[in-house]
Amino acid sequence: MTKFTVAICGGGVGGLACAVALSQYPDIRIDVYEAASKFLKSVVQALGWTGSSQRLPSSPLIIIQVGKANCFISTRGTTAPTYVIELSFNFRKGDQSEGYTFHQLYTPAILLRHLSASSRTYTSKRSSHSPIALRFKDGSTATCDVLIGADGVKSATRRRSSTSLRTPRSLRRAAQPRWSGIYAYRTTIPAEALRSRIPNHTVLREPMAYLGKDTQVTAYPLLHGKIINVAAFRTRYDSEGAPMKEPWVVDTTKDELAADFAGWEPEVQAMFQCTSKLSRWAIHTTERLPTFVSGRVALVGDSAHAAVPFQGAGAGQAIEDAYLLATLLGHPKTTLSTLTRALRIYDAVRRPYAQDVAKTSRECGMLFTLNYPGLSSQDIANGQAADKLRVIAETIRKKWSWAWDTTLDGDIQRAVRELEAS
């Protein structure tokens, strides 16, 4: 017997993680609606630079797998994850003619299992109307008892929830995405192309984080070292929050990239020269929302707390949202008549932590680009680089430490206790 229906808008990591977690409860019907014509193409194998997803308790919920023909997700036949200590990044000062590595960051990491599937999924479904009674742009309709907005930083669920109710103008403004003041150039390059230029380039074997004033480059090998993923960031913090009139994502050229990274060391320039297709992304975040819940509507992942990517925590945080929310919805005390109580508990327990992670992600971005308050780039220019860079590395490590020093178990236990006491 079905006690209620949950509709999930968004088929990314957060939405599929919600479906995975809820599929443990046979009395909940799950419908997943995705705006794109198909779900994620590749299996997510590892989430985050810092292993943030290791905060998940040992349970059947580990990670999602997307099948060849559609989204297939389930919780059966899985085992607990394996933990290892591994190199997260080599930190290197790169915005000069001759760069140098000044720190190696080792952190606990998680090796995630694959899952396969079981809930109803729909593609090409972009919501165009109010929550609960859903109407999609293709003209179809649906209804649900609970709506989970997992539709990203541009979330229509967040926007409609704020405009359809009698909410203050400040809340409606907060529902709009906000430019972080950061552009990210993103590309992948063939490892062989880079090897032909610099045969012993470190990034062919290990992940690299290059630091520079107002600029930063992250690069690491993928697919068993066959390709190198490159993200080059240009910050303009004086424009943070400014209206973004141009498209968020545009194709661009090596010349634009070279202009923003003029004077950087040869091994970074060699990566740039290997690019064939390059895009520039205007990184947007969400305001610090006063709530993740409105009636029977709940937000998860980037819909609720999109952050800049300098902790690599986005996917892990979305999965944590999903796991806690599913635990409350699946609890025997949660029925059709007590749904709003369960959602309020989710908001009270989860929101402060997720928003703190978003805050420290911004702070890490300022550290990576030598903009952190109290840090003088003039000191580095005057020959005090070693001491200052050690301070930066240690501060980054401390700001990442929440990922391996805390767990989600305590939050789940607190939420369940509050639910059972109601």
Side-chain angles (χ1 to χ4, degrees):
M1 180 178 177
T2 299
K3 65 176 182 178
F4 51 75
T5 298
V6 175
I8 302 169
C9 282
V13 170
L16 297 182
C18 282
V20 169
L22 288 168
S23 67
Q24 299 176 80
Y25 307 103
D27 55 351
I28 297 177
R29 197 185 88 180
I30 311 154
D31 295 325
V32 182
Y33 301 95
E34 165 57 29
S37 60
K38 53 188 173 183
F39 286 87
L40 297 170
K41 293 181 180 178
S42 59
V43 176
V44 179
Q45 293 180 317
L47 298 178
W49 301 349
T50 62
S52 60
S53 51
Q54 75 180 50
R55 280 176 31 90
L56 286 172
S58 297
S59 75
L61 173 62
I62 308 299
I63 190 55
I64 54 177
Q65 180 176 1
V66 179
K68 293 181 180 179
N70 223 331
C71 168
F72 294 100
I73 44 183
S74 83
T75 58
R76 292 179 173 80
T78 61
T79 58
T82 301
Y83 298 98
V84 295
I85 301 295
E86 65 178 23
L87 176 66
S88 287
F89 278 103
N90 293 297
F91 286 171
R92 186 174 175 90
K93 183 75 162 49
D95 61 339
Q96 55 202 60
S97 59
E98 184 176 348
Y100 60 94
T101 299
F102 62 89
H103 187 72
Q104 288 187 310
L105 178 65
Y106 286 84
T107 66
I110 184 170
L111 304 180
L112 300 173
R113 311 296 183 185
H114 295 171
L115 304 180
S116 58
S118 80
S119 32
R120 304 193 314 175
T121 62
Y122 306 85
T123 58
S124 301
K125 296 296 184 183
R126 189 180 300 276
S127 178
S128 65
H129 202 51
S130 57
I132 307 305
L134 302 170
R135 185 168 66 216
F136 300 96
K137 286 191 174 181
D138 64 1
S140 61
T141 61
T143 59
C144 63
D145 300 308
V146 182
L147 175 61
I148 299 177
D151 43 349
V153 67
K154 293 183 178 181
S155 176
T157 308
R158 182 182 67 241
R159 188 172 64 253
R160 294 292 181 179
S161 295
S162 67
T163 57
S164 62
L165 302 176
R166 293 180 179 178
T167 52
R169 183 176 298 177
S170 59
L171 179 57
R172 293 197 295 272
R173 282 199 306 268
Q176 301 303 314
R178 180 175 185 266
W179 185 38
S180 65
I182 300 172
Y183 286 113
Y185 296 94
R186 291 176 172 169
T187 190
T188 58
I189 60 176
E192 285 306 313
L194 181 59
R195 187 174 285 111
S196 68
R197 291 175 178 269
I198 303 180
N200 296 316
H201 200 299
T202 308
V203 81
L204 294 169
R205 307 180 305 275
E206 298 173 351
M208 298 294 298
Y210 300 88
L211 279 64
K213 178 60 179 174
D214 296 325
T215 46
Q216 193 267 328
V217 179
T218 297
Y220 48 87
L222 292 174
L223 298 180
H224 305 289
K226 293 180 181 178
I227 63 173
I228 307 299
N229 189 71
V230 180
F233 299 92
R234 176 70 168 89
T235 63
R236 294 179 172 86
Y237 285 112
D238 57 345
S239 298
E240 186 176 16
M244 176 60 62
K245 297 180 181 179
E246 62 188 64
W248 289 16
V249 182
V250 296
D251 291 334
T252 189
T253 64
K254 293 181 185 179
D255 290 341
E256 182 184 355
L257 178 63
D260 273 342
F261 289 83
W264 272 63
E265 65 171 309
E267 70 173 63
V268 173
Q269 299 296 344
M271 289 191 293
F272 292 166
Q273 290 304 312
C274 292
T275 62
S276 57
K277 186 177 182 181
L278 184 67
S279 59
R280 190 191 71 214
W281 298 58
I283 304 299
H284 280 67
T285 62
T286 51
E287 294 275 4
R288 194 176 178 91
L289 297 174
T291 181
F292 290 173
V293 167
S294 176
R296 292 184 179 178
V297 181
L299 303 175
V300 300
D302 283 354
S303 301
H305 47 77
V308 293
F310 293 99
Q311 290 191 107
Q317 287 294 287
I319 293 176
E320 289 188 23
D321 293 350
Y323 193 91
L324 177 59
L325 180 56
T327 299
L328 291 169
L329 292 178
H331 194 281
K333 290 276 284 187
T334 301
T335 64
L336 195 59
S337 62
T338 62
L339 276 172
T340 54
R341 169 72 174 168
L343 295 179
R344 285 198 301 270
I345 294 171
Y346 160 73
D347 176 65
V349 172
R350 183 64 191 150
R351 179 167 42 85
Y353 191 93
Q355 291 179 336
D356 281 349
V357 172
K359 177 176 177 288
T360 56
S361 293
R362 181 183 181 275
E363 292 169 351
C364 284
M366 299 185 78
L367 285 161
F368 275 115
T369 57
L370 310 184
N371 277 290
Y372 198 68
L375 172 68
S376 170
S377 59
Q378 190 64 39
D379 290 339
I380 294 176
N382 289 339
Q384 301 180 32
D387 291 341
K388 289 292 182 179
L389 292 174
R390 276 196 294 269
V391 171
I392 291 172
E394 179 59 22
T395 307
I396 291 172
R397 190 198 67 79
K398 288 179 179 177
K399 289 187 179 297
W400 282 4
S401 64
W402 60 268
W404 55 83
D405 287 344
T406 63
T407 70
L408 190 61
D409 295 274
D411 289 345
I412 290 175
Q413 292 166 9
R414 180 160 63 94
V416 169
R417 281 198 303 270
E418 188 169 343
L419 182 66
E420 292 177 344
S422 62

